[in-house]
Amino acid sequence: MFRSSRRRVSAGWRQSTDLLATPGRCVHIGDRESDIYELFCLAEEVGTHFLVRTCVDRLAGDGNHTIADEMDEVTVKGLHRIKVKDDKGDPDEALLEIRFRKLRILPPIGKQKQYPALTLTVIHAQERGTPKRRKKIEWKLLTDLSVQSRKDAVEKIEWYALRWKIEVFHKVLKSGCKAEDSKLRTAERLVNLIAVFCIVSWRVFWMTMLNRSSPNALPQTALTDPELRLLDHLVKDRGGDRPRRSTLSHYVVKIARLGGYLARANDPPPGNTVIWRGLSRLTDIELGAAIEAKIMGN
C-alpha cells in the first residue's frame, strides 16, 4: 500500500507539472505522507518545487548527525500568530516560534547510491506555551524554495496552513458529490463528470468560507436572484433576521437550514455538510420551479 501511494503521488506530481508550461511556478504542498526522498529528487528532475511536512529525522551534513541535531542549534528567528480552533471547534490563537536553516540532506542509508544529497531548507514552527483544549502545534517543514528571512518562512508556513482547505474541498467532492460512486464506463465521461463536480464542490466550499470571512457581503456575490427569491419563499425569516436580510450570511444560513442546520444563537457558523445538503435541495426545487413554469406557462 505504501509503495502504491508513492507511485500515485509521483504520477500526480508528473502530471500536474506536465500541464504547466512553466513548472517552476508549481509548488507541491504535502502532509507527512509526502515525506518521501524520491519525490524530492523528482521535483529537482522536473524543475518544480515542494513544501512538505516531515515525519523522518533525516541524516544531515556529513551524515554523522540528523536534522534535529542541527535545528537544536538554531535560535528563534521570529514569532508568528495564527488563528486555529480548539477541540470543540471554538476559535483560538497560537503563537509560533519560527526557526529555519538551509541544510545538506542525505538520502536514506539504503539508497545513498541511488539518490544524491540535496540542499534544502528546514523550517520549524513550534507553538509557545501549552494550549489547554487542543494539541500543541509543532510543524517541521522541508522545502527546496528560498527562505532568506522571517518573512519568507512565514509565507511558507501560511502556505502549509492552507493545505487543510484542499482536504475539505476533496471531502465535499468525495462525500457530497460522491464522485467515487460513479458508474460511468469510459474515462472521457468520468473526466467530464468530475469537472462538473469540481465546480459544484468549489461553490459549496467557497460559499462556506465566504460566509465566515465576509458575512456582510451582498447576497448576489454568491447567489442568483431566482435563488434568493426561492429562499425567501421557502425559509421564513425569524424575528431578529430583518436587519440582516441584505447580507450574504442571512441567505447562507437559510440554505443551511434547508440542509438541517438549526441556527440556534450559540451554534457555530454552518459547515460544508449542511450547506451541501441545503444547496442540493435548493437546486432540485429551483429545477422543479423552472420546469413547472415552462409547462404551465406561469
Coordinates of all heavy atoms in Angstrom, one line a residue, residues 200-233:
V200 N -19.1 22.3 -8.6 CA -20.1 22.3 -7.5 C -19.4 22.3 -6.2 O -19.8 23.0 -5.3 CB -21.0 21.0 -7.7 CG1 -22.0 20.9 -6.5 CG2 -21.8 21.1 -9.0
S201 N -18.4 21.4 -6.0 CA -17.7 21.4 -4.8 C -17.0 22.7 -4.4 O -17.0 23.1 -3.3 CB -16.6 20.3 -4.8 OG -17.2 19.0 -5.1
W202 N -16.4 23.3 -5.4 CA -15.8 24.6 -5.2 C -16.9 25.6 -4.7 O -16.6 26.4 -3.8 CB -15.2 25.1 -6.5 CG -14.7 26.6 -6.3 CD1 -13.5 27.0 -5.8 CD2 -15.4 27.7 -6.7 NE1 -13.5 28.4 -5.8 CE2 -14.6 28.9 -6.4 CE3 -16.7 27.9 -7.3 CZ2 -15.1 30.2 -6.6 CZ3 -17.1 29.2 -7.6 CH2 -16.3 30.3 -7.2
R203 N -18.1 25.6 -5.3 CA -19.1 26.6 -4.9 C -19.5 26.4 -3.5 O -19.7 27.3 -2.7 CB -20.3 26.5 -5.8 CG -21.3 27.6 -5.6 CD -22.6 27.5 -6.4 NE -23.4 28.7 -6.2 CZ -24.7 28.7 -6.4 NH1 -25.4 27.6 -6.8 NH2 -25.4 29.8 -6.3
V204 N -19.7 25.1 -3.1 CA -20.1 24.8 -1.7 C -19.0 25.3 -0.7 O -19.3 26.0 0.3 CB -20.4 23.3 -1.5 CG1 -20.6 23.0 0.0 CG2 -21.6 22.9 -2.3
F205 N -17.8 24.9 -1.0 CA -16.6 25.3 -0.2 C -16.5 26.8 -0.1 O -16.3 27.4 1.0 CB -15.4 24.6 -0.7 CG -14.1 25.0 0.1 CD1 -13.9 24.6 1.4 CD2 -13.2 25.8 -0.5 CE1 -12.8 25.0 2.1 CE2 -12.0 26.1 0.1 CZ -11.8 25.7 1.5
W206 N -16.5 27.4 -1.3 CA -16.3 28.9 -1.4 C -17.4 29.6 -0.6 O -17.1 30.6 0.1 CB -16.3 29.3 -2.8 CG -16.3 30.8 -3.1 CD1 -15.2 31.6 -2.8 CD2 -17.3 31.6 -3.6 NE1 -15.6 32.9 -3.1 CE2 -16.8 32.9 -3.7 CE3 -18.6 31.4 -4.1 CZ2 -17.6 34.0 -4.2 CZ3 -19.3 32.4 -4.6 CH2 -18.8 33.7 -4.6
M207 N -18.6 29.2 -0.7 CA -19.8 29.8 0.0 C -19.6 29.7 1.5 O -19.9 30.6 2.3 CB -21.1 29.2 -0.5 CG -22.3 30.0 -0.1 SD -23.8 29.2 -0.7 CE -23.5 29.3 -2.5
T208 N -19.1 28.5 1.9 CA -18.9 28.3 3.4 C -17.8 29.2 3.9 O -18.0 29.9 5.0 CB -18.5 26.8 3.6 OG1 -19.5 26.0 3.1 CG2 -18.3 26.6 5.1
M209 N -16.7 29.3 3.2 CA -15.6 30.2 3.6 C -16.0 31.7 3.5 O -15.6 32.5 4.4 CB -14.4 29.9 2.8 CG -13.8 28.5 3.0 SD -13.2 28.2 4.7 CE -14.5 27.2 5.3
L210 N -16.7 32.0 2.4 CA -17.1 33.4 2.2 C -18.0 33.9 3.4 O -17.9 35.0 3.8 CB -17.7 33.6 0.9 CG -18.0 35.0 0.4 CD1 -16.7 35.8 0.3 CD2 -18.7 35.0 -0.9
N211 N -18.9 33.0 3.8 CA -19.8 33.4 4.9 C -19.1 33.7 6.2 O -19.5 34.5 7.0 CB -20.8 32.2 5.1 CG -21.7 32.4 6.3 OD1 -22.4 33.5 6.3 ND2 -21.7 31.5 7.2
R212 N -17.9 33.0 6.4 CA -17.1 33.2 7.6 C -16.2 34.4 7.5 O -16.0 35.1 8.5 CB -16.3 32.0 7.9 CG -17.2 30.8 8.1 CD -16.4 29.5 8.4 NE -17.3 28.3 8.6 CZ -16.8 27.1 8.9 NH1 -15.5 26.9 9.0 NH2 -17.7 26.1 8.9
S213 N -15.7 34.7 6.3 CA -14.7 35.8 6.1 C -15.4 37.1 5.8 O -14.9 38.2 6.2 CB -13.7 35.5 5.0 OG -14.3 35.3 3.8
S214 N -16.5 37.1 5.1 CA -17.2 38.3 4.6 C -18.7 38.1 4.8 O -19.5 38.2 3.8 CB -16.9 38.6 3.2 OG -15.5 38.8 3.0
P215 N -19.2 37.9 6.0 CA -20.6 37.7 6.2 C -21.5 38.8 5.8 O -22.7 38.6 5.5 CB -20.7 37.4 7.7 CG -19.6 38.2 8.3 CD -18.5 38.0 7.3
N216 N -21.0 40.0 5.8 CA -21.9 41.2 5.4 C -21.8 41.5 3.9 O -22.3 42.6 3.5 CB -21.4 42.4 6.2 CG -21.7 42.2 7.7 OD1 -22.7 41.7 8.1 ND2 -20.8 42.7 8.5
A217 N -21.2 40.7 3.1 CA -21.2 40.9 1.7 C -22.6 40.8 1.1 O -23.5 40.2 1.7 CB -20.3 39.8 1.0
L218 N -22.8 41.3 -0.1 CA -24.1 41.3 -0.7 C -24.4 39.8 -1.1 O -23.5 39.1 -1.5 CB -24.1 42.1 -2.0 CG -24.0 43.7 -1.8 CD1 -23.9 44.3 -3.1 CD2 -25.2 44.2 -1.0
P219 N -25.7 39.4 -0.9 CA -26.0 38.0 -1.2 C -25.8 37.7 -2.7 O -25.6 36.5 -3.0 CB -27.5 37.9 -0.8 CG -28.0 39.3 -0.8 CD -26.8 40.2 -0.4
Q220 N -25.9 38.7 -3.6 CA -25.7 38.4 -5.0 C -24.2 38.1 -5.3 O -23.9 37.6 -6.4 CB -26.1 39.7 -5.8 CG -27.5 40.0 -5.9 CD -28.0 40.7 -4.7 OE1 -27.3 41.0 -3.7 NE2 -29.3 41.0 -4.6
T221 N -23.3 38.2 -4.3 CA -22.0 37.8 -4.5 C -21.9 36.3 -4.8 O -21.0 35.8 -5.6 CB -21.1 38.1 -3.3 OG1 -21.2 39.5 -3.0 CG2 -19.7 37.7 -3.5
A222 N -22.8 35.5 -4.2 CA -22.7 34.0 -4.3 C -24.0 33.4 -4.8 O -24.0 32.2 -5.2 CB -22.3 33.4 -3.0
L223 N -25.1 34.2 -4.9 CA -26.4 33.6 -5.2 C -27.1 34.4 -6.3 O -26.9 35.6 -6.4 CB -27.3 33.5 -4.0 CG -26.8 32.6 -2.8 CD1 -27.5 33.0 -1.5 CD2 -26.9 31.2 -3.2
T224 N -27.9 33.7 -7.1 CA -28.6 34.4 -8.2 C -29.9 34.9 -7.6 O -30.4 34.5 -6.6 CB -28.9 33.4 -9.3 OG1 -29.8 32.3 -8.8 CG2 -27.6 32.7 -9.9
D225 N -30.5 35.8 -8.4 CA -31.8 36.4 -7.9 C -32.9 35.4 -7.8 O -33.7 35.4 -6.8 CB -32.2 37.5 -8.9 CG -31.3 38.8 -8.7 OD1 -30.8 39.0 -7.6 OD2 -31.2 39.6 -9.7
P226 N -33.0 34.4 -8.7 CA -34.0 33.4 -8.5 C -33.8 32.5 -7.3 O -34.7 32.2 -6.6 CB -33.9 32.5 -9.8 CG -33.4 33.4 -10.8 CD -32.4 34.3 -10.1
E227 N -32.5 32.3 -6.9 CA -32.2 31.5 -5.7 C -32.6 32.3 -4.5 O -33.2 31.8 -3.5 CB -30.7 31.2 -5.7 CG -30.3 30.1 -6.6 CD -28.8 29.9 -6.7 OE1 -28.1 30.9 -6.5 OE2 -28.4 28.8 -7.0
L228 N -32.4 33.6 -4.5 CA -32.7 34.5 -3.4 C -34.2 34.5 -3.2 O -34.7 34.4 -2.0 CB -32.2 35.9 -3.6 CG -30.7 36.0 -3.6 CD1 -30.3 37.5 -3.9 CD2 -30.0 35.6 -2.3
R229 N -35.0 34.6 -4.3 CA -36.5 34.6 -4.2 C -37.0 33.3 -3.7 O -37.9 33.3 -2.8 CB -37.1 35.0 -5.5 CG -36.8 36.4 -6.0 CD -37.8 36.8 -7.2 NE -37.5 36.0 -8.3 CZ -36.6 36.3 -9.3 NH1 -36.0 37.5 -9.2 NH2 -36.4 35.5 -10.4
L230 N -36.4 32.2 -4.1 CA -36.9 30.9 -3.6 C -36.6 30.7 -2.1 O -37.4 30.2 -1.4 CB -36.2 29.8 -4.4 CG -36.8 29.3 -5.7 CD1 -36.0 28.3 -6.4 CD2 -38.2 28.8 -5.4
L231 N -35.4 31.2 -1.7 CA -35.0 31.1 -0.3 C -36.0 31.9 0.6 O -36.4 31.5 1.7 CB -33.6 31.5 -0.1 CG -32.5 30.5 -0.6 CD1 -31.1 31.2 -0.6 CD2 -32.5 29.3 0.3
D232 N -36.3 33.1 0.1 CA -37.3 33.9 0.9 C -38.6 33.2 1.0 O -39.4 33.4 2.0 CB -37.4 35.3 0.2 CG -36.3 36.2 0.5 OD1 -35.6 36.0 1.6 OD2 -36.0 37.1 -0.3
H233 N -39.0 32.5 -0.1 CA -40.3 31.8 -0.1 C -40.3 30.5 0.8 O -41.2 30.2 1.5 CB -40.7 31.5 -1.5 CG -42.0 30.7 -1.6 ND1 -43.2 31.3 -1.4 CD2 -42.2 29.4 -1.9 CE1 -44.2 30.4 -1.5 NE2 -43.6 29.2 -1.8

